[in-house]
Amino acid sequence: TQLLEQSPQFLSIQEGENLTVYCNSSSVFSSLQWYRQEPGEGPVLLVTVVTGGEVKKLKRLTFQFGDARKDSSLHITAAQPGDTGLYLCAGSVRTDSWGKLQFGAGTQVVVTP
Amino acid sequence: KAGVTQTPRYLIKTRGQQVTLSCSPISGHRSVSWYQQTPGQGLQFLFEYFSETQRNKGNFPGRFSGRQFSNSRSEMNVSTLELGDSALYLCASSLTGASTEAFFGQGTRLTVV
């Protein structure tokens, strides 16, 4: 059982559409990170959120951390083909987890021109 | 500044053999974590090293081991390889490993035949 549940598992949209990916847990996280991974490559860090209720924007990407620090969402506005990839959320349950991130199963996003 | 470097990128081994993978973290980062990624299980934490000491360990058999050198470079070793060990092995580096941002290498794709 994954500590972090991501939904949906797969998302296929047209260029220009918006999308939202969700990451939920019953556990409280001290911090939560979002990564994007392309086939055969390592995950690339997009953002880290640490404060409940925090909202961070990175160009067309908006990240939100829930007030209770148990959930997060990633919203992409006007998606482009370059946004295609596997989006992973990951978190640390405790500040002394020493390098251990719990990962969600990922959301595969495909943006077609 | 250089990112996380993993070598080799690809490896093919036979069942029963052993393998050693290498990871050079970002300069100044002292924490190195290792993950195994498979289609069925996603990203699973193997272990974390800081200042040449293993501080955290995931639920993997003793065939999986690692070490860290004084320059923070790390190696992981898998002995008596099994077909199920085929996976993408990822190394992540961070400043301290305590819920801080983790940056991943490109990974080593291990295939056991």
Side-chain angles (χ1 to χ4, degrees):
Chain A
T1 305
Q2 301 272 161
L3 198 60
L4 283 164
E5 297 290 335
Q6 280 189 244
S7 62
Q9 287 184 300
F10 183 80
L11 205 50
S12 179
I13 60 171
Q14 297 285 324
E15 182 176 3
E17 293 182 334
N18 301 333
L19 68 97
T20 302
V21 177
Y22 299 94
C23 178
N24 296 293
S25 177
S26 57
S27 299
V28 175
F29 285 84
S30 57
S31 68
L32 200 138
Q33 294 157 27
W34 285 93
Y35 293 85
R36 180 171 66 220
Q37 185 179 25
E38 300 192 16
E41 302 291 330
V44 174
L45 179 65
L46 296 174
V47 78
T48 298
V49 285
V50 297
T51 306
E54 183 176 3
V55 177
K56 278 193 175 179
K57 292 195 176 186
L58 186 69
K59 296 182 181 177
R60 295 176 294 100
L61 279 60
T62 301
F63 304 86
Q64 196 158 8
F65 200 14
D67 290 340
R69 291 186 288 136
K70 293 183 179 181
D71 57 88
S72 180
S73 64
L74 155 61
H75 182 79
I76 301 179
T77 304
Q80 299 175 358
D83 296 325
T84 293
L86 179 68
Y87 288 82
L88 295 157
C89 65
S92 299
V93 176
R94 294 164 43 150
T95 54
D96 61 350
S97 296
W98 302 134
K100 180 178 181 177
L101 288 173
Q102 304 279 359
F103 277 85
T107 295
Q108 182 63 52
V109 171
V110 176
V111 183
T112 52
Chain B
K1 125 174 143 175
V4 180
T5 303
Q6 289 188 246
T7 56
R9 286 293 312 274
Y10 304 94
L11 212 45
I12 299 175
K13 289 286 188 179
T14 305
R15 264 185 308 175
Q17 287 187 314
Q18 74 165 18
V19 67
T20 299
L21 313 181
S22 179
C23 172
S24 292
I26 292 170
S27 178
H29 284 194
R30 297 171 64 190
S31 168
V32 174
S33 297
W34 288 89
Y35 292 82
Q36 180 195 66
Q37 186 176 28
T38 58
Q41 298 296 318
L43 275 127
Q44 302 285 318
F45 173 77
L46 281 156
F47 29 64
E48 187 259 5
Y49 286 87
F50 181 87
S51 291
E52 302 178 65
T53 301
Q54 185 184 89
R55 291 192 301 190
N56 205 352
K57 191 176 189 310
N59 297 321
F60 279 81
R63 300 184 297 106
F64 292 81
S65 63
R67 60 178 175 167
Q68 187 181 35
F69 302 94
S70 57
N71 61 358
S72 294
R73 189 177 71 85
S74 178
E75 289 181 346
M76 69 162 279
N77 183 277
V78 188
S79 62
T80 320
L81 284 165
E82 301 177 359
L83 295 178
D85 297 333
S86 294
L88 181 65
Y89 289 89
L90 293 160
C91 154
S93 99
S94 66
L95 275 170
T96 66
S99 301
T100 54
E101 297 176 330
F103 298 88
F104 283 83
Q106 292 179 298
T108 294
R109 169 70 64 186
L110 172 65
T111 302
V112 182
V113 297

